[in-house]
Amino acid sequence: MKIKVNGLLALLLLLTSCAKASKDITMMVVSDTHLMSPELLKNDGKAFTDYVSRDRKMLKESPMLMEKVTENILKQHPQYLLITGDLTKDGETVSHKMLCDKYLKRIKSAGIQVFVIPGNHDVDNPHAVEFDGNVTRRVPTPKADEFAKIYNDYGYGQAIARDTSSLSYVVQLSEDVRLLCLDACEYENNSYQKNICVTAGRLKKETVSFIKEQAKDARKKGMRMLAMMHHGIVQHWTWQEKAMREYLVDKWRKHADMLSRLGIKIVFTGHFHSQDISKRGSLYDIETGSLVSYPSPYRTVTLSGNKLIIKTKHLTGTGMGISGGKSFGEYAKDYARTGIYNIVGGMLPKTIPDSIRKEACDIISDAYLAHLGGDEKMPSGKQQLINATAAKIKKYSWKYAYIFKHISKYLWTDLTPEDNNIVINL
């Protein structure tokens, strides 16, 4: 009789565990779409040329890239699409409406739920302009409440909880999984008078309280909570905090440790345009690269039991609208290289000879492109070349030689774990 009872108990436990087992959740993650409505380019000319010369984004191509990823989303048909901010070039209302009406509406109509959060470019942005030859003119850009109305069908209308101090919210993905969508942007500190759009991010005290309340509620109900936000919450390369701090949320260590304690192990992010995954404690920061930056990646994600299966795909193939005989991959790589080349070249002191400047730009461009793609590994002999170029720069500036040497090295040095294809045990 004892054996029969034990056997019955085992069967009941098995049936109970099967009843509670969740079905797989399928998602696609896209970031930094930076959609620019063609209406904003009234007449091509110096104004737009000057803008893109200081930028690394394929803005003219953004509608084509958004169309291509929309087609892929519809073919693969995940349950959910997550877009982790910087939806538009610079928060132009016309670009937001184009994103919703031309792309997200089709995705939603196919039965795929879409959830968005704002990036630093998307709300109340003084850089929202149209280009007309040599002239730029400001165009409408939404305030925070207007942003939520525009994206009512893409997260805000489905929220089971809203933060009153930011555009953060929570949605229910399944019976036992919730998604915490966090707004860490500082659009209230943008300045029209000084023409400043704040790149950096922070979590307000009220938002931190909201996070704790929602995590506590999820835990109480036995639910797993995933999160997404625009800014990074874990450093993605050594020295990122020193060199490009505005790409990490303020007090990132403190906030990362808080999320870990609250049982949140996954945060989908964007902002830096790189395909990279970094880890602090039990928290994974899964950064997805930009559609409008090389190599135009997106992620497919499956939550299956206690495993998160992540795969990387890229926008490639026919119909990409690139002239001149180049493949889209070649075009995107050259575009990114030119953008970083101009940025680095402009930062180095004018006293540095052009030959050394070119050498430095070539090295950093290679390192930057490797980091954009993820799973970067420094080639043999590259460190010696970095050291030799740094020595040449040092004759003109010790400071810039030091910065150049470390940034070049660290962009080539991938932090664990893998960036593109990985299975995370939760």
Side-chain angles (χ1 to χ4, degrees), residues 16-299:
T16 302
S17 64
C18 290
K20 289 184 176 179
S22 300
K23 294 182 179 178
D24 289 357
I25 294 176
T26 58
M27 298 175 278
M28 287 177 66
V29 183
V30 173
S31 191
D32 294 80
T33 51
H34 286 285
L35 182 67
M36 174 181 163
S37 169
E39 293 180 32
L40 297 170
L41 189 58
K42 298 295 182 184
N43 287 291
D44 206 344
K46 187 176 184 301
F48 186 69
T49 300
D50 287 349
Y51 184 95
V52 296
S53 69
R54 302 185 302 271
D55 205 276
R56 55 180 178 168
K57 300 189 285 287
M58 295 178 283
L59 294 173
K60 277 187 179 180
E61 294 80 10
S62 62
M64 178 267 291
L65 295 170
M66 193 64 216
E67 176 63 32
K68 187 71 175 179
V69 81
T70 298
E71 292 172 2
N72 291 353
I73 291 165
L74 293 173
K75 287 178 184 177
Q76 296 178 44
H77 209 280
Q79 293 168 272
Y80 305 103
L81 169 65
L82 314 184
I83 309 182
T84 58
D86 276 357
L87 312 172
T88 58
K89 170 192 159 285
D90 280 309
E92 311 86 3
T93 299
V94 65
S95 295
H96 282 300
K97 289 185 176 180
M98 179 183 181
L99 179 62
C100 292
D101 296 343
K102 189 170 183 179
Y103 306 107
L104 302 189
K105 188 175 182 179
R106 286 160 55 196
I107 295 169
K108 186 174 185 294
S109 296
I112 302 166
Q113 293 191 59
V114 182
F115 302 123
V116 308
I117 50 170
N120 55 292
H121 283 262
D122 289 323
V123 178
D124 202 14
N125 190 345
H127 295 169
V129 299
E130 63 182 13
F131 301 94
D132 192 356
N134 297 336
V135 178
T136 60
R137 287 183 291 267
R138 280 183 173 150
V139 297
T141 176
K143 302 288 186 182
D145 58 340
E146 295 172 301
F147 180 91
K149 289 178 182 177
I150 291 172
Y151 292 98
N152 181 71
D153 290 338
Y154 311 107
Y156 291 94
Q158 297 74 47
I160 60 172
R162 284 279 309 271
D163 177 28
T164 57
S165 66
S166 75
L167 285 167
S168 302
Y169 62 98
V170 177
V171 289
Q172 192 83 36
L173 298 185
S174 69
E175 289 183 358
D176 56 1
V177 180
R178 287 179 177 177
L179 178 67
L180 175 65
C181 307
L182 294 175
D183 168 24
C185 301
E186 298 186 36
Y187 36 81
E188 68 272 15
N189 294 325
N190 290 346
S191 171
Y192 283 81
Q193 185 177 2
K194 296 180 181 179
N195 197 35
I196 293 174
C197 174
V198 179
T199 302
R202 53 83 189 92
L203 291 172
K204 296 177 181 177
K205 290 181 180 180
E206 297 87 349
T207 303
V208 170
S209 296
F210 175 77
I211 294 170
K212 291 178 179 178
E213 290 169 4
Q214 294 306 312
K216 181 179 178 181
D217 184 65
R219 188 167 59 247
K220 181 180 178 181
K221 295 174 180 176
M223 296 182 183
R224 171 175 284 140
M225 180 168 271
L226 310 176
M228 71 172 182
M229 65 189 297
H230 184 60
H231 294 76
I233 195 164
V234 179
Q235 186 167 244
H236 285 272
W237 50 282
T238 305
W239 255 44
Q240 185 179 21
E241 183 179 37
K242 291 183 179 180
M244 297 182 176
R245 187 172 183 171
E246 65 272 22
Y247 289 91
L248 293 166
V249 70
D250 192 31
K251 301 177 182 178
W252 63 272
R253 291 180 182 84
K254 177 181 177 181
H255 293 317
D257 292 344
M258 174 191 70
L259 292 186
S260 292
R261 288 194 303 271
L262 293 172
I264 298 172
K265 297 183 178 181
I266 300 295
V267 184
F268 297 103
T269 67
H271 198 25
F272 195 69
H273 290 203
S274 293
Q275 194 76 349
D276 192 88
I277 300 177
S278 56
K279 185 173 183 282
R280 179 177 171 85
S282 63
L283 181 72
Y284 289 83
D285 179 325
I286 301 168
E287 178 190 359
T288 299
S290 170
L291 281 189
V292 296
S293 293
Y294 170 83
S296 299
Y298 60 94
R299 296 188 187 274

Side-chain angles (χ1 to χ4, degrees), residues 228-401:
M228 71 172 182
M229 65 189 297
H230 184 60
H231 294 76
I233 195 164
V234 179
Q235 186 167 244
H236 285 272
W237 50 282
T238 305
W239 255 44
Q240 185 179 21
E241 183 179 37
K242 291 183 179 180
M244 297 182 176
R245 187 172 183 171
E246 65 272 22
Y247 289 91
L248 293 166
V249 70
D250 192 31
K251 301 177 182 178
W252 63 272
R253 291 180 182 84
K254 177 181 177 181
H255 293 317
D257 292 344
M258 174 191 70
L259 292 186
S260 292
R261 288 194 303 271
L262 293 172
I264 298 172
K265 297 183 178 181
I266 300 295
V267 184
F268 297 103
T269 67
H271 198 25
F272 195 69
H273 290 203
S274 293
Q275 194 76 349
D276 192 88
I277 300 177
S278 56
K279 185 173 183 282
R280 179 177 171 85
S282 63
L283 181 72
Y284 289 83
D285 179 325
I286 301 168
E287 178 190 359
T288 299
S290 170
L291 281 189
V292 296
S293 293
Y294 170 83
S296 299
Y298 60 94
R299 296 188 187 274
T300 64
V301 180
T302 302
L303 178 60
S304 181
N306 288 321
K307 293 184 182 296
L308 194 72
I309 304 162
I310 301 173
K311 297 181 180 180
T312 291
K313 298 182 181 293
H314 301 94
L315 295 184
T316 57
T318 58
M320 298 293 279
I322 301 301
S323 59
K326 287 185 178 181
S327 68
F328 174 72
E330 292 171 328
Y331 174 82
K333 195 170 189 177
D334 289 346
Y335 198 99
R337 182 182 293 278
T338 300
I340 196 66
Y341 203 99
N342 291 339
I343 293 170
V344 174
M347 291 172 62
L348 292 172
K350 293 181 180 180
T351 54
I352 296 177
D354 289 344
S355 59
I356 301 175
R357 184 187 303 273
K358 181 180 184 303
E359 198 173 307
C361 288
D362 285 340
I363 290 172
I364 288 191
S365 295
D366 286 344
Y368 173 69
L369 287 170
H371 182 67
L372 285 182
D375 295 316
E376 57 271 33
K377 185 177 181 181
M378 186 183 290
S380 176
K382 181 67 73 173
Q383 186 62 62
Q384 290 86 340
L385 181 60
I386 291 171
N387 294 343
T389 304
K392 294 176 184 179
I393 297 173
K394 190 175 180 179
K395 295 178 182 178
Y396 302 92
S397 171
W398 178 91
K399 174 185 174 183
Y400 280 93

